């Protein structure tokens, strides 16, 4: 079997991938499959990847990357006879599936008392939105994950992710004392935080990326009341350079008293705030911002303004600044009455500014404050229909030559270009080519949606790949199947992108076409 890469998507009748039953292979002979990469996506009737009576004389030991998504009829992924040989597996990503167990028990191995799964090369494990997941393997087993660095888990049914080595009624996927010391990136839910408590965060010596999902951040603080003790906590996670807060509960201000962000923000370079519906703004200590190079805010429904002018002074190292889908945001930089002392803000390093789907945004900064962007050379503005100007004061952007918005020329300066887009709108009829490999994902995707919704699919650069007639859901499947380059350089988790994009594309498709099944 010489096949090395397998991608299957949008086969609505497919029930089984490898049907190897009945092959005439001698018991003393083993056939080695050369398959290394396998991607299975949007297969609504898929029940088995390997058939139940799988011939154990066929080995898939060369598998390195497995990605499975939106296979809701799939109850299990690997037979145990295959899983126990996956010593070369490097990444396993499963999301939005009906899986109940990742490894199933072989019929022939039902009398086996204990089995070892040695994932000696696995560095990336992502399990996301698996509501039916019960366990990794249904019988007594042991696992080893000696090089696991990146762990992303959320909504994993009844599967317990973290636990301790002592005997437990339900075996966890990972033992805290063995796995935590080696992690460099991890996502934590409220249950995970509750399990990793009492100062256990000190055991993350190499953690660089932390993703908090649907948590109450107050539970992160191992100490209460003693300021001297809290000062020592800063040393617990000294390597954290990327923090993602998603669905954080009951927090109206990022620096609100009682939330221990100062424990982990000392060396922060990337801050991403997603779907924090109670958050009003990012008001917090200036020290949080001093080392930031990337700031990304998405879908915070109550956020009217992002940051005060005094705090914006601290963003001198910021390189990329992105704000998306904050429905009621009116300004990015807001006033707190300090303009007399902060009449000039210089974003010395900022190169890229992206504003997407901000329906009520009037201005980046409406006050009479001088804004200077000496390094800015890329501004993207998409679906900000009420934006009147960029700023109310003086503006300096010596390197900027265009606003990334399809169909309109540069008007000479940023303020004039924003005003032109607001008064004239965006004309897509002149778009002859949309080069999706040249521009980053967030730039062209809203444009692509409009092309498809407006029946202008043939003018898209994807026309030759998807055919001249396709709808939004076809595009989504095509992009997911080719995500090697779609997500290159994109710092957002593809799970978030696809969950969000699917809502948009489904709505778009229902208006223009019959929905795909």
């Amino acid at each position: 079997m010489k096949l090395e890469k397998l991608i299957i998507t949008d086969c609505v009748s497919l029930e089984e991938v490898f049907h190897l039953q009945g092959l005439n292979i001698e018991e003393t002979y083993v056939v080695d499959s050369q398959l290394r990469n396998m991607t299975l996506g949007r297969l609504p009737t898929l029940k088995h990847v390997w058939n139940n009576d799988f011939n154990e004389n066929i080995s898939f030991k060369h598998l390195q990357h497995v990605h499975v998504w939106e296979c809701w009829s799939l109850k299990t992924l690997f037979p145990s006879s295959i899983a126990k040989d996956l010593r070369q597996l490097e990444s396993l990503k499963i999301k939005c599936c009906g899986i109940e167990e990742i490894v199933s028990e072989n019929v022939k191995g039902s009398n086996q008392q204990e089995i070892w799964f040695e994932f000696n090369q696995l560095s990336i494990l992502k399990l996301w939105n698996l509501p039916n997941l019960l366990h990794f393997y249904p019988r007594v087993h042991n696992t080893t994950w000696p090089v696991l660095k990146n762990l992303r888990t959320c909504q994993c049914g009844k599967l317990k992710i973290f636990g301790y080595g002592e005997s437990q009624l339900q075996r966890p996927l990972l033992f805290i004392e063995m796995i935590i010391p080696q992690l460099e990136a991890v996502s934590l839910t409220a249950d995970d935080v509750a399990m990793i408590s009492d100062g256990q965060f000190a055991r993350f010596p190499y953690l660089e990326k932390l993703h908090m999902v649907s948590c109450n951040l107050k539970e992160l603080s191992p100490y209460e009341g003693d300021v001297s003790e809290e000062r020592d906590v800063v040393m617990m996670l000294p390597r954290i350079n990327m923090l993602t807060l998603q669905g954080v509960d009951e927090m109206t201000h990022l620096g609100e008293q009682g939330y221990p962000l100062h424990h982990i923000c000392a060396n922060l370079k990337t801050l991403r705030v997603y779907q924090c519906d109670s958050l009003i703004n990012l008001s917090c200590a200036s020290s949080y911002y001093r080392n930031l190079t990337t700031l990304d805010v998405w879908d915070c429904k109550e956020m009217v303004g992002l940051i005060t002018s005094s705090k914006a002074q601290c963003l001198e190292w910021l390189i990329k600044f992105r704000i998306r889908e904050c429905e009621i945001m009116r300004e990015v930089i807001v006033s707190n009455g300090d303009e007399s002392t902060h009449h000039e803000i210089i974003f010395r390093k900022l190169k890229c500014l992206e504003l997407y789907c901000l329906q009520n945004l009037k201005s980046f900064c409406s006050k009479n404050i001088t804004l200077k962007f000496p390094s800015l050379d890329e501004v993207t503005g998409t679906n900000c229909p009420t934006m009147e100007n960029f700023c109310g004061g003086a503006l300096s952007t010596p390197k900027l030559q265009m606003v990334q918005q399809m169909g309109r020329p540069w008007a000479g300066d940023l303020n004039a270009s924003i005003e032109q887009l607001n008064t004239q709108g965006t004309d897509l009829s002149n778009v002859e080519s949309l080069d999706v490999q040249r521009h980053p994902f967030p730039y062209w995707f809203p444009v692509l949606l409009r092309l498809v919704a407006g029946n202008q699919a043939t003018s898209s650069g994807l026309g030759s790949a998807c055919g001249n007639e396709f709808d939004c859901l076809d595009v989504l499947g095509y992009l997911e199947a080719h995500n090697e380059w779609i997500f290159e350089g994109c710092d957002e988790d593809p799970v978030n992108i696809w969950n969000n994009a699917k809502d948009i594309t489904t709505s778009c498709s229902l208006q223009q076409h019959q929905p795909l099944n």
Side-chain angles (χ1 to χ4, degrees), residues 21 36 49 249 251 261 272 279 286 321 328 340 375 417 463:
Q21 185 177 359
R36 285 167 168 76
V49 180
D249 297 335
M251 183 174 66
L261 289 182
R272 307 189 301 186
L279 195 63
S286 300
F321 195 178
I328 66 173
S340 60
S375 303
S417 296

Side-chain angles (χ1 to χ4, degrees), residues 281 295 304-315 318 321 323 329-336 338-339 342 344-347 350 353 355 361-373 390-392:
N281 59 50
L295 178 57
V304 179
L306 184 71
I307 189 173
T308 64
S309 54
S310 59
K311 297 298 189 295
Q313 292 269 352
C314 302
L315 296 174
L318 197 64
F321 195 178
I323 310 171
M329 180 177 288
R330 296 177 62 84
E331 289 184 83
V332 176
I333 300 177
V334 298
S335 169
N336 62 350
D338 55 5
E339 285 79 12
H342 300 282
E344 181 179 273
I345 301 175
I346 304 176
F347 294 87
L350 189 66
L353 174 63
L355 306 173
L361 186 70
K362 298 294 184 181
S363 178
F364 186 84
C365 177
S366 65
K367 302 302 178 183
N368 187 20
I369 300 176
T370 298
L371 300 182
K372 295 184 177 181
F373 300 86
F390 188 80
C391 69

Side-chain angles (χ1 to χ4, degrees), residues 247-401:
V248 173
D249 297 335
E250 302 175 359
M251 183 174 66
T252 58
H253 301 83
L254 194 61
E256 191 171 332
Q257 187 174 3
Y259 290 89
L261 289 182
H262 59 284
H263 299 163
I264 55 181
C265 290
N267 298 304
L268 203 60
K269 292 185 178 180
T270 296
L271 175 61
R272 307 189 301 186
V273 183
Y274 298 162
Q275 298 173 316
C276 296
D277 291 343
S278 300
L279 195 63
I280 297 174
N281 59 50
L282 298 188
S283 176
C284 56
S286 300
S287 58
Y288 290 12
Y289 300 124
R290 294 202 183 277
N291 296 313
L292 276 186
T293 59
T294 299
L295 178 57
D296 187 2
V297 179
W298 170 51
D299 194 20
C300 294
K301 299 187 184 303
E302 296 299 319
M303 186 174 289
V304 179
L306 184 71
I307 189 173
T308 64
S309 54
S310 59
K311 297 298 189 295
Q313 292 269 352
C314 302
L315 296 174
E316 56 183 336
W317 294 104
L318 197 64
I319 297 174
K320 184 173 182 178
F321 195 178
R322 180 166 64 176
I323 310 171
R324 297 165 292 159
E325 298 185 54
C326 296
E327 296 176 358
I328 66 173
M329 180 177 288
R330 296 177 62 84
E331 289 184 83
V332 176
I333 300 177
V334 298
S335 169
N336 62 350
D338 55 5
E339 285 79 12
S340 60
T341 55
H342 300 282
H343 52 82
E344 181 179 273
I345 301 175
I346 304 176
F347 294 87
R348 299 185 185 280
K349 300 292 184 179
L350 189 66
K351 295 180 65 65
C352 177
L353 174 63
E354 302 174 1
L355 306 173
Y356 299 100
C357 301
L358 304 173
Q359 298 295 323
N360 288 289
L361 186 70
K362 298 294 184 181
S363 178
F364 186 84
C365 177
S366 65
K367 302 302 178 183
N368 187 20
I369 300 176
T370 298
L371 300 182
K372 295 184 177 181
F373 300 86
S375 303
L376 185 66
D377 58 13
E378 181 180 343
V379 174
T380 302
T382 299
N383 197 14
C384 301
T386 64
M387 196 169 183
E388 299 171 353
N389 59 26
F390 188 80
C391 69
L395 176 64
S396 173
T397 58
K399 290 188 176 181
L400 189 63
Q401 297 297 321

Side-chain angles (χ1 to χ4, degrees), residues 150 152 184-187 207-212 237-245 264-265 267-274 291-296 489-493:
N150 189 330
R152 299 290 299 275
E184 296 177 358
V186 67
S187 62
L207 192 64
E208 297 180 356
K209 299 178 181 179
L210 177 60
H211 186 168
M212 307 297 298
L237 299 171
R239 292 175 176 264
I240 286 287
N241 58 53
M242 176 184 287
L243 174 64
T244 302
L245 304 176
I264 55 181
C265 290
N267 298 304
L268 203 60
K269 292 185 178 180
T270 296
L271 175 61
R272 307 189 301 186
V273 183
Y274 298 162
N291 296 313
L292 276 186
T293 59
T294 299
L295 178 57
D296 187 2
C490 183
D491 59 2
E492 181 175 332
D493 181 14

Side-chain angles (χ1 to χ4, degrees), residues 95 128 152 211 213 244 246 272 274-275 298 324-325 441 487 491-503:
K95 60 186 179 185
W128 209 273
R152 299 290 299 275
H211 186 168
V213 185
T244 302
Q246 182 172 359
R272 307 189 301 186
Y274 298 162
Q275 298 173 316
W298 170 51
R324 297 165 292 159
E325 298 185 54
F441 175 88
F487 297 116
D491 59 2
E492 181 175 332
D493 181 14
V495 174
N496 293 336
I497 291 177
W498 292 121
N499 286 345
N500 187 46
K502 179 174 245 189
D503 292 340

Side-chain angles (χ1 to χ4, degrees), residues 1-6 18 31-37 59-60 62:
M1 300 176 66
K2 296 183 178 181
L3 181 67
E4 293 187 4
K5 185 174 185 178
L6 176 65
F18 298 104
V31 176
D32 279 337
S33 167
Q34 297 303 308
L35 188 64
R36 285 167 168 76
N37 300 331
S59 170
F60 285 80
H62 297 291

